[in-house]
Amino acid sequence: MSQSAKQASRAATVEFGAAAITVDQVLAVADGRARVSLSRDPAFRRRLGAGAARLAERLAAGERVYGVTTGFGESCVTDVPADAVSSLPLNLLRFHGCGTGRILDEAEAAAVVTARLASLVGGWSAVRPALVERLVALLDHRALPRIPAEGSVGASGDLTPLSYVAALLVGERECSFEGRVRTAAEVHAALGLEPLRLVPKESLAIMNGTSVMTGLVCLALGRARRLARLSAALTAAASDAMLGNPAHFDARIFAAKPHPGQAAYAAWVREDLEYRPGPSFEGRIQDRYSIRCAPHVAGVLLDALPWMTQWTETELNGANDNPLIDPESGEALHGGNFYGGHACFVADGLKNLVANLADLHDRQLALLCSSQTNNGLPENLNGQGGAECAAHHGFKAMQIAASALAAEALKNTMPASVFSRSTECHNQDKVSMGTIAAREALRVVELTEQVVAIVALAAAQAVDLRERAGGRCHPRSRALRDAIRERAPFVDRDRRQDGDIAATLAMIRSAELPEHLLT
């Protein structure tokens, strides 16, 4: 599909300046499901331009403003001569061009630019409307900066990675456009645009903020939310295939200790199992903890997601650079809103909660694979039922792989915030490490999605094996199995399964799931 066709297919529009931007709107822009525009409201436009005008007045009056008439960071004690002030914006973005590591993918870069715009349109950053309009235009055309992931300590904001956003505006460095890596200057020419010439404070306004960590946290929250519902479906399918006791999910249990998240998770499992209170269960009266306590494990994530989203949206829409310029008075307010402590805490907490899902489902997989615990299913879910059965090994290696992935997810749960270190001549002597936490949160989500993909394949295998043995699983277990079977066949003999994992992972990440998992 051409770039113009992709743009035409985006039904929604996220309008900056009309209202606060939400996490879901960031996700829609990042995934290419929404276009972007800038509010035409006259009052908004006046406020947006007021800060830059007031700053210009203050500078004309000879006022001293950090990062405009002084050097940066510890160099704030150095006054910059008037005839050199205009060179500061380019110098700042150029000397911060030292990022390392992988390049953020297009969805991540779009989330970062969306987050930066959400902050800039508040009017506290003293950037010209023309700069905001250019950033909106580039984002709408999916001309996205190539941002190295590493190099930020999370205060003074994401200086180094955000320098790649500033560089795009002036036509420097590289960007992604129409599926190719091109120079920023080439893309400006292709769009019929002249690169911007930044005026005092504008590169600082773009770079000195928390938008990289916040954009990445938005993506991690969206994927974690999707994992929570899928987790309940896997718990139900595992319980179903192993003939577990559905009464563990009775609503009265969760009314007795009413954490909303665990009650919601248990309700999903009840729905998937079509549970109704009835006669005493005839099998093992208590399932092992990874089945019975699944609502109590995953419920913590569900209860945390609302406040994590609220904190993230406050950070997303807040003025998070320095100095702020009061758009009414023009006064320069020197502070520390670039500190990413809230975003870091969300990311550090989220990776703990999501890694617990990886661990939970790794334990469920161990139950499914063992003939000592799976209630009559073959060892390792071996689908070879003929004379060659002993020569085949089913999901033995898949269980090992899931265990390795879960262990790596758990290893990444160490809080990043506690590794603050003094830097930049001890000016930045307490920093948030929020961007490291955000990258780790996405990595934990990625690892957990891989565990979940393997367990989904195992659950489909278990449902097939139970029904081939004459049992009957519930409709939603069969629906999950059928969705998996569209991408991965039943494992009736030893064969490679990496393609099955990749196909299932793609289904999870693109939300191509049974309808009950999407509501």
Side-chain angles (χ1 to χ4, degrees), residues 296-370:
H296 307 79
V297 175
V300 187
L301 170 61
L302 287 169
D303 280 329
L305 283 172
W307 68 257
M308 288 181 165
T309 300
Q310 180 186 8
W311 281 23
T312 301
E313 290 177 349
T314 298
E315 192 72 36
L316 179 64
N317 294 283
N320 51 66
D321 61 297
N322 174 61
L324 303 179
I325 305 299
D326 186 331
E328 302 298 330
S329 69
E331 184 179 0
L333 306 172
H334 295 92
N337 278 10
F338 50 70
Y339 194 87
H342 283 76
C344 185
F345 192 83
V346 169
D348 275 343
L350 188 66
K351 64 192 186 188
N352 176 301
L353 298 170
V354 174
N356 265 294
L357 288 189
D359 192 39
L360 175 77
H361 291 296
D362 174 52
R363 296 297 83 215
Q364 290 181 355
L365 181 58
L367 297 181
L368 283 165
C369 285
S370 173

Side-chain angles (χ1 to χ4, degrees), residues 4-203:
S4 59
K6 287 180 181 177
Q7 290 177 358
S9 70
R10 289 183 270 165
T13 297
V14 173
E15 186 178 52
F16 292 94
I21 300 299
T22 67
V23 167
D24 283 340
Q25 287 176 313
V26 174
L27 299 178
V29 175
D31 294 343
R33 293 179 285 111
R35 301 194 65 163
V36 295
S37 68
L38 193 63
S39 173
R40 306 303 302 179
D41 178 70
F44 162 71
R45 290 283 177 152
R46 284 194 297 272
R47 180 178 174 83
L48 184 62
R54 298 292 83 75
L55 176 61
E57 292 168 0
R58 295 281 176 141
L59 294 178
E63 185 166 325
R64 189 165 175 260
V65 178
Y66 165 75
V68 180
T69 64
T70 75
F72 301 108
E74 183 62 19
S75 300
C76 67
V77 297
T78 303
D79 290 328
V80 176
D83 60 357
V85 165
S86 63
S87 66
L88 281 180
L90 272 180
N91 291 348
L92 177 66
L93 72 88
R94 284 172 175 167
F95 82 76
H96 273 288
C98 56
T100 62
R102 74 174 181 89
I103 301 298
L104 299 187
D105 66 29
E106 289 195 10
E108 292 166 336
V112 168
V113 177
T114 303
R116 197 75 211 118
L117 276 166
S119 177
L120 293 176
V121 297
W124 291 93
S125 300
V127 298
R128 294 166 296 161
L131 182 148
V132 179
E133 289 168 349
R134 177 61 54 84
L135 210 49
V136 168
L138 291 170
L139 178 58
D140 195 50
H141 283 95
R142 303 291 286 187
L144 299 168
R146 301 267 295 170
I147 304 174
E150 300 166 355
S152 174
V153 294
S156 296
D158 291 314
L159 288 166
T160 289
L162 284 175
S163 76
Y164 291 79
V165 178
L168 171 62
L169 290 172
V170 302
E172 295 189 6
R173 304 184 199 168
E174 298 78 36
C175 66
S176 300
F177 182 63
E178 295 186 333
R180 293 172 51 203
V181 177
R182 303 173 68 176
T183 68
E186 289 172 344
V187 170
H188 272 84
L191 295 174
L193 301 170
E194 284 290 327
L196 291 181
R197 183 178 181 275
L198 300 181
V199 301
K201 193 185 178 299
E202 286 188 331
S203 62

Side-chain angles (χ1 to χ4, degrees), residues 171-246:
E172 295 189 6
R173 304 184 199 168
E174 298 78 36
C175 66
S176 300
F177 182 63
E178 295 186 333
R180 293 172 51 203
V181 177
R182 303 173 68 176
T183 68
E186 289 172 344
V187 170
H188 272 84
L191 295 174
L193 301 170
E194 284 290 327
L196 291 181
R197 183 178 181 275
L198 300 181
V199 301
K201 193 185 178 299
E202 286 188 331
S203 62
L204 187 61
I206 297 165
M207 294 165 53
N208 191 7
T210 60
S211 298
V212 174
M213 67 182 83
T214 304
L216 298 184
V217 166
C218 287
L219 297 178
L221 286 169
R223 290 163 69 176
R225 190 167 54 200
R226 184 180 299 161
L227 277 172
R229 180 62 185 94
L230 182 54
S231 169
L234 293 181
T235 294
S239 173
D240 201 8
M242 291 189 291
L243 308 180
N245 184 356

